[in-house]
Amino acid sequence: MEETAKKVMLSGIQPSGELTLGSYLGAIRNWAELADQFDCYYFMADLHTLTARQVPAELRKRTLNQLAQYIACGLDPEKNTLFIQSHVRQHTELGWILSCYTMFGELSRMTQFKDKSAKNADNINGGLFTYPCLMAADILLYQPDFVPVGQDQKQHVELTRDVATRFNNLYGETFKIPEPYIPKVGARVMSLTSPENKMSKSDHDQNGCVYLMDEPEVIMRKFKRAVTDSDTEKCVRFDVENKPGVSNLMQIYAACTGKDYAAIEAEFDGLGYGAFKPKVGEAVVETLRPLREESLRIMQDKAYLESVYKAGAEKASYVANKTMRKVKKKIGLVAEP
Ligand code: TYM
């Protein structure tokens, strides 16, 4: 297998809703720190959003806004390859091929499929079921060493490893087997109103979810209303099982301030939840403020955004095509003239 000097990282986010504090702390923030050390590919997973009905004009707008937000979050397009998934045809091409090497039983066991089909019983389409095959293609095309994701995507990365291993066993070394790369703090940010569920852009309760582009007053309101726990103790202590609401707020505060849980417990010792919640809100406001301002600025510059996604797609297609040629040859497809 070809060796490049730097190890490769790759990840994506669906533009199915606005970016959330969860996708920022669980994913993007960690990506920005990796640019010097790794060869990094990040994309807007627009094809994945089609498993649910989208309003076309909104999807287009959100995809471009997401690119602006990636850049505002510190993903320098000079150092990272930033592209739109649907601009690199090899994703759907390899997605189909991999679906022929992924078992019905494996796809049936995916918790995201089970959750989403329970929530959208009237639209359990084939794409929702084979979603992990497209995700495996997204990953394997670039031969990455690591895939930085939040906890909820770990199962999909594990399935990708299984499918790649199966393919390699049949045809010889073709794909690098990637590792999930999960952050220590922020890997699973929970809803502010129902801390047993992850904070999600598809959440119907808008108060539980903080968006990257929320205005400071909105963020403060959401944190002041955040659910804390009904235990009698009323103190700020990290205990996910018995105090999921407070523990989630502590996790967010830790991720935004860099303080560890012991320091946070000491800071709020004897102060109760009423003092704690606005402090978490303020820390989030200050973390997101520069990102929001910079995103708004970049979103206006359509020509710049186009130059970024065009260059990104060219670089990504070049790499993806190399893998695709190898795959087609191995499975017996006639080479294109
Ligand atoms: P998506 O769009 O749901 O989420 C994008 C990334 O954000 C992380 N994340 C969270 N992390 C912590 N707490 C949360 N509440 C939270 N919500 C979201 C997710 O774990 C993810 O890393 N299938 C993927 C997109 C995708 C992809 C890929 C990712 C498509 N192809 C290839 C990696 C590699 C998804 O729906 O993520």
Side-chain angles (χ1 to χ4, degrees):
M1 196 161 291
E2 197 173 308
E3 284 296 324
T4 47
K6 282 183 177 177
K7 291 204 186 267
V8 178
M9 281 274 178
L10 165 129
S11 200
I13 298 185
Q14 293 192 61
S16 52
E18 294 299 326
L19 288 177
T20 69
L21 181 65
S23 39
Y24 176 64
L25 295 179
I28 312 174
R29 190 176 71 148
N30 312 295
W31 302 351
E33 294 161 7
L34 305 166
D36 291 323
Q37 223 182 321
F38 296 91
D39 187 9
C40 298
Y41 296 81
Y42 301 114
F43 61 96
M44 279 53 72
D46 56 347
L47 293 170
H48 275 103
T49 70
L50 303 178
T51 56
R53 294 290 163 260
Q54 303 293 332
V55 176
E58 284 179 12
L59 173 59
R60 223 177 334 265
K61 188 162 166 233
R62 276 200 307 264
T63 306
L64 294 176
N65 286 354
Q66 189 169 307
L67 175 61
Q69 291 167 5
Y70 276 7
I71 300 169
C73 289
L75 298 182
D76 178 351
E78 301 291 324
K79 295 186 180 169
N80 299 275
T81 305
L82 307 180
F83 66 99
I84 297 173
Q85 182 189 29
S86 61
H87 290 182
V88 182
R89 313 278 181 275
Q90 290 82 357
H91 288 244
T92 38
E93 205 176 5
L94 184 60
W96 163 254
I97 294 174
L98 294 180
S99 72
C100 302
Y101 296 84
T102 311
M103 299 303 136
F104 181 87
E106 287 173 318
L107 293 172
S108 312
R109 283 194 290 278
M110 294 294 110
T111 48
Q112 183 172 293
F113 171 69
K114 288 195 255 183
D115 288 351
K116 292 204 171 172
S117 41
K119 281 190 193 143
N120 306 290
D122 56 344
N123 187 17
I124 308 177
N125 55 67
L128 190 65
F129 189 62
T130 58
Y131 180 115
C133 304
L134 181 58
M135 181 159 162
D138 298 337
I139 297 172
L140 298 174
L141 280 173
Y142 301 92
Q143 310 280 1
D145 297 273
F146 299 106
V147 182
V149 284
Q151 191 67 37
D152 62 308
Q153 294 298 318
K154 187 167 177 243
Q155 195 186 30
H156 288 157
V157 180
E158 278 162 0
L159 179 64
T160 301
R161 289 166 57 86
D162 291 347
V163 174
T165 306
R166 179 173 303 140
F167 194 100
N168 286 351
N169 287 343
L170 284 166
Y171 301 107
E173 268 322 271
T174 310
F175 297 122
K176 187 171 271 177
I177 308 298
E179 298 277 344
Y181 183 93
I182 296 179
K184 288 199 178 63
V185 183
R188 201 165 150 76
V189 178
M190 310 310 274
S191 158
L192 300 187
T193 46
S194 50
E196 60 289 354
N197 299 316
K198 81 162 184 174
M199 182 181 283
S200 161
K201 53 200 164 204
S202 54
D203 198 340
H204 296 302
D205 181 359
Q206 294 298 297
N207 288 322
C209 183
V210 175
Y211 295 98
L212 217 69
M213 299 304 285
D214 273 348
E215 297 189 349
E217 312 76 77
V218 176
I219 298 176
M220 288 306 293
R221 183 170 35 86
K222 288 179 178 174
F223 277 96
K224 283 183 187 154
R225 288 192 191 159
V227 165
T228 37
D229 305 298
S230 53
D231 59 331
T232 46
E233 196 183 53
K234 299 276 180 267
C235 75
V236 174
R237 186 166 60 77
F238 194 78
D239 176 353
V240 177
E241 208 167 302
N242 299 307
K243 296 161 85 78
V246 170
S247 302
N248 185 40
L249 294 174
M250 285 181 77
Q251 180 189 204
I252 294 171
Y253 193 63
C256 290
T257 59
K259 294 177 183 171
D260 64 22
Y261 296 139
I264 299 170
E265 286 172 3
E267 186 178 343
F268 293 97
D269 189 25
L271 292 180
Y273 302 152
F276 179 51
K277 291 200 283 184
K279 278 284 187 199
V280 183
E282 281 164 23
V284 172
V285 166
E286 289 321 315
T287 303
L288 297 186
R289 189 193 302 279
L291 310 181
R292 179 169 173 274
E293 290 171 359
E294 185 62 358
S295 300
L296 288 171
R297 192 186 66 73
I298 302 171
M299 276 173 195
Q300 305 306 319
D301 196 345
K302 301 280 182 262
Y304 170 66
L305 287 175
E306 187 177 326
S307 72
V308 170
Y309 67 71
K310 186 164 178 276
E314 273 166 24
K315 163 120 193 268
S317 300
Y318 175 78
V319 178
N321 202 32
K322 274 211 296 201
T323 302
M324 223 37 238
R325 277 204 304 272
K326 210 188 302 182
V327 168
K328 285 180 169 175
K329 186 166 182 214
K330 298 238 179 183
I331 59 178
L333 304 184
V334 175
E336 287 173 52

